[in-house]
Structure formats: structure tokens, C-alpha cells
Amino acid sequence: MTKRNVKVALAGAGSCASSFVQAVAASALTCGEGQPGVMYDRIGGYHLSDLTFVAAFEADANKIGRDLADALRQHPTVAVQHVQVPDTGVLVRPGPALDGIAGRLADVVDVAPAARTTTVEDVTAELRRTAADVLVCFLPTGATHAVRAYARACAAAGTAFVNATPEAVANDADLAALFEDSGVPLLGDDLRSHLGATTLHTALLDLLIGRGLTVKDTYQLNVGGNTDFLNLSDPVRSASKQASKRRALTNAGIDATDVAAGPNGYVKHLGDRKVCFLRIEAENIIGAPVAMEVRLEVEDSPNAAAVIANAVRVAKAAADRELAGVVDPVCAFLFKSPREGMSEPQALAGFRAFVTAVQTEPGDVHAPLLFTASLNNHSLVRTA
Ligand SMILES: NC(=O)c1ccc[n+]([C@@H]2O[C@H](COP(=O)([O-])OP(=O)(O)OC[C@H]3O[C@@H](n4cnc5c(N)ncnc54)[C@H](O)[C@@H]3O)[C@@H](O)[C@H]2O)c1
């Protein structure tokens, strides 16, 4: 049997992309087995080592024209180089810059002239030429028009779209319908870090709410030193991220309307480290107070890579099974702003059910029955 692979394209070759490419390179050394942080050795039949990078798009003049592996090491990317990535053979191409570089990012990135003239059709043509299965959108937050442009290019090319950004794609009814009509899977929006502030915060809220305590107040303050935090230090650019974080807390069962939860500052000294200060105040039986404070320190970009390692293989597994449109059953676990919000345990159960369902071969006649049995609360659209 020929070895199946997943052809991956990247929009944005910054810190998250760097960690993700490193994770795939690391998995080649272990044949995709047993890497810490990787929840499943196989999803839909694919190891992480079955991923191949076939295309990459950038707006940064300093990255375009370089091999992807080389581009990912360039200024202003600060992701830690844990793994030496050999040349990939993929030259980074200009993508439509649109609103990708704005605010404080414009101080550290020169937009390539070619990126100002590249069109959606150019991206579609490259995705078709390389037969890309899945594109991961790692654009800066606030790049509303650019993210939508890549989404449209993917729908036209038949390439599944994974939206790591908080810009609305899965949550945009028109774009979701476009993917459904085009027979292409769509996952989003706003990647949830694997063990990050949102995941820890919602897990703690779930613990308190599950034991009947009343959550009275909470906040979640985050600082970091990568270009994501530099970009998010502009309130205009961070609006969608703040909204997305509050949506995640609402889905965890609290009224998050006035909760401070967001990126709260760029601290260059931290580089790719992110520090989260989190406080929860709650009321126990007969009004007894409970308060907790947590300081979480993580390396930011590998935390995204661990989730993308799941998302890309889920997207390909969905495409293999001719599922089209938003893959709702997995989005609540993988993203902060899924279309259908769920509590932490429900989200994990939905994700596990999907992975179990796609462990059968796509052509297996029993596969549709498994979907129905394990995902009975969700409608998945089949194109066939
Ligand atoms: N743990 C995490 O780091 C995490 C978690 C959840 C979501 N996210 C989101 O993932 C996204 C990427 O984060 P990052 O840390 O890699 O950011 P980054 O700034 O390191 O990378 C973004 C890259 O996109 C490029 N770019 C800008 N406009 C472009 C365009 N029009 N076409 C192609 N490339 C373009 C930039 O030049 C840059 O290289 C952000 O939206 C972030 O909020 C990150």
C-alpha cells in the first residue's frame, strides 16, 4: 500500500508556523509516534510525520523567496529553535498583503511590493498547482480582509481551511456556506492553545461550577514578547481576540460580559514566552469565600503547534470522508470561538468521538454509521 500523506500550505510564516514545522520535523525522527503534547499518534490514519509542506505565503519582504525552513528563522520571528529543520524545498511566495501588516507590525515588517499586487486567484492557482489538502491560516489578528481572501482562495481550490486567527470565517455565515457548497472542510475560529490561559481558565471554571460553587468574579491577564503580542498591543487589532476570549469564558458557563481577559501588553524581554495571571473568586456553601490565583508561564508558539497537529489531520480526515463546511464536532475543543459553544468536557468528548469515528478507512461502509452513532448532536454535511 502506498504511504498516504497530507499536503499542507501555510499562510503566514511567523512564530506559530515555525513551531508547527519544527514539530513535524521532530515527528519524522520518531516516525510520528510518542511525541509529548501530541494527543494521538494517528488521526484519520495519519501520523504527524505524514505531513508534507507544499506551499507557503507571506507578505514580509524578508521572508519571501527563501526556503520555508530559512524564512521561519528570520526576524522578527522569535519562536525558539528546538529542532533543526532541513530545507523543505518550498519557496515562500507572496500572498495578498491587504490588511495583514498594520499598526505596530508595520514598524518591524516591510511589505514586499509583490504582496501588494498578488490576488486571491494567484493563491488559488498555487494551491491547485501543489494539490494542497489543507491550508493553515497563521495571519496576524485583525487581518480581516487578508484572512477572508485566503479562505476564498481555499474554497475555490478545494483546500481545507484551518483558521488559527480570531477573524470570523467559521463564524461568518456566508463563508461557512461557501465552504459547504464547495464541498470543502472548514475549521475555526481562533486557535485555542493546547495548555494555555483559556484552557486552564475554562478547566478551573468547570471544576468550580461542577461542584455547585458560584463564580463571583474573574480575570485573565496575558503578556508576551512575540510579534503576536506586539500586534495585539494595538486595541484596534486586538478587538477580535478580546471578544474571542470572552466567548470562550461564556461557553464555560459564566457571564463574561465585563471580564477582563485578553492580551494585556507587549514585553519584548519575554520573547516567545507568555505569562498569564489568572484570578477566580467564588462562593461556596453558606457564602464561604474561595479565591485562587494562578501564574502560568508557557512558550507560546509550540502551544499552538500542538493544536494544529490535531487540526490539520482532522481537516484531512474530514476531506477524505467528503465532509463539507464547518466541522463543528471538533471546533469547540480546538478553537476559542467555535460556532457551537460547549463546556470543556463536552468539547473534549466531541473531539474524541470524531477521532474515534475517523480511525476507520474512508471507504469503509461502516464509517457513516459510526458518525451517526458518535456525533448524534451534530449535523455533518456529506458532499456525496
Ligand atoms: N499560541 C499562539 O501563539 C496562538 C494561539 C491562538 C491563536 N494564535 C493566532 O495565530 C496567528 C499567528 O500567530 P503568530 O504568533 O504566528 O504570529 P506572527 O506575527 O509570528 O506571524 C504572522 C505572520 O503572518 C505574516 N503575514 C502578515 N500578513 C500576511 C498576508 N497578508 N499574507 C501572508 N502572510 C502574512 C507576517 O509577516 C508574519 O510572518 C495570530 O492571529 C494569533 O493570534 C496564536
Side-chain angles (χ1 to χ4, degrees):
M1 195 173 116
T2 52
K3 186 170 153 60
R4 297 190 301 153
N5 66 6
V6 186
K7 298 188 184 70
V8 182
L10 301 175
S15 290
C16 289
S18 171
S19 295
F20 177 49
V21 171
Q22 290 181 53
V24 173
S27 73
L29 305 173
T30 60
C31 300
E33 304 274 337
Q35 207 187 132
V38 178
M39 289 173 70
Y40 291 93
D41 285 339
R42 279 177 190 272
I43 295 179
Y46 300 104
H47 280 114
L48 200 50
S49 56
D50 294 330
L51 273 54
T52 313
F53 295 96
V54 295
F57 303 95
E58 254 294 340
D60 186 342
N62 192 32
K63 295 178 180 174
I64 291 168
R66 294 181 189 267
D67 185 277
L68 174 61
D70 185 29
L72 291 169
R73 292 187 287 262
Q74 299 304 316
H75 171 84
T77 298
V78 293
V80 177
Q81 302 297 309
H82 290 280
V83 178
Q84 283 230 317
V85 178
D87 276 0
T88 59
V90 175
L91 284 189
V92 176
R93 289 180 163 250
L98 298 169
D99 52 355
I101 304 296
R104 293 187 70 186
L105 276 185
D107 298 338
V108 292
V109 176
D110 285 331
V111 176
R116 297 193 193 279
T117 53
T118 304
T119 64
V120 172
E121 290 71 29
D122 294 332
V123 176
T124 302
E126 178 66 0
L127 294 173
R128 285 201 179 119
R129 186 186 73 77
T130 55
D133 295 306
V134 182
L135 178 139
V136 185
C137 184
F138 279 131
L139 261 53
T141 294
T144 311
H145 298 296
V147 170
R148 294 174 69 86
Y150 283 101
R152 285 201 301 276
C154 283
T159 302
F161 189 78
V162 176
N163 183 22
T165 84
E167 306 314 307
V169 179
N171 280 288
D172 182 291
D174 292 341
L175 285 175
L178 174 67
F179 275 83
E180 208 168 300
D181 295 345
S182 307
V184 181
L186 165 60
L187 274 70
D189 297 321
D190 195 13
L191 205 67
R192 185 188 258 258
S193 289
H194 202 46
L195 195 78
T198 299
T199 297
L200 179 63
H201 206 163
T202 55
L204 290 172
L205 290 172
D206 188 66
L207 174 71
L208 295 171
I209 294 167
R211 286 170 181 263
L213 277 75
T214 303
V215 175
K216 306 293 283 183
D217 221 336
T218 185
Y219 62 73
Q220 181 207 114
L221 310 179
N222 299 287
V223 293
N226 57 26
T227 45
D228 191 22
F229 275 91
L230 178 67
N231 178 48
L232 293 168
S233 64
D234 175 345
V236 175
R237 297 287 271 185
S238 72
S240 56
K241 182 68 93 183
Q242 305 263 4
S244 177
K245 278 190 167 278
R246 275 199 293 273
R247 203 172 300 137
L249 295 176
T250 303
N251 290 338
I254 62 165
D255 176 1
T257 321
D258 293 323
V259 170
N264 299 88
Y266 170 64
V267 183
K268 188 175 180 185
H269 152 87
L270 288 173
D272 201 30
R273 269 177 303 150
K274 165 176 158 175
V275 181
C276 162
F277 304 93
L278 187 163
R279 180 177 172 88
I280 306 177
E281 294 166 11
E283 199 171 83
N284 204 347
I285 195 162
I286 61 167
V290 175
M292 62 176 79
E293 286 190 2
V294 180
R295 179 186 184 279
L296 174 71
E297 181 173 330
V298 292
E299 232 182 271
D300 202 19
S301 306
N303 229 347
V307 183
I308 290 293
N310 284 332
V312 165
R313 292 180 293 163
V314 162
K316 174 68 167 130
D320 288 347
R321 287 155 185 81
E322 299 176 347
L323 301 176
V326 183
V327 189
D328 286 311
V330 299
C331 287
F333 180 67
L334 300 173
F335 298 90
K336 293 190 201 74
S337 287
R339 269 200 319 193
E340 296 180 4
M342 294 178 208
S343 70
E344 189 76 15
Q346 284 172 324
L348 179 60
F351 178 72
R352 288 202 187 286
F354 186 93
V355 173
T356 303
V358 298
Q359 299 302 35
T360 51
E361 287 295 313
D364 188 331
V365 289
H366 299 299
L369 294 177
L370 273 170
F371 278 123
T372 316
S374 53
L375 304 170
N376 52 3
N377 290 328
H378 302 280
S379 59
L380 285 170
V381 180
R382 278 178 179 276
T383 52

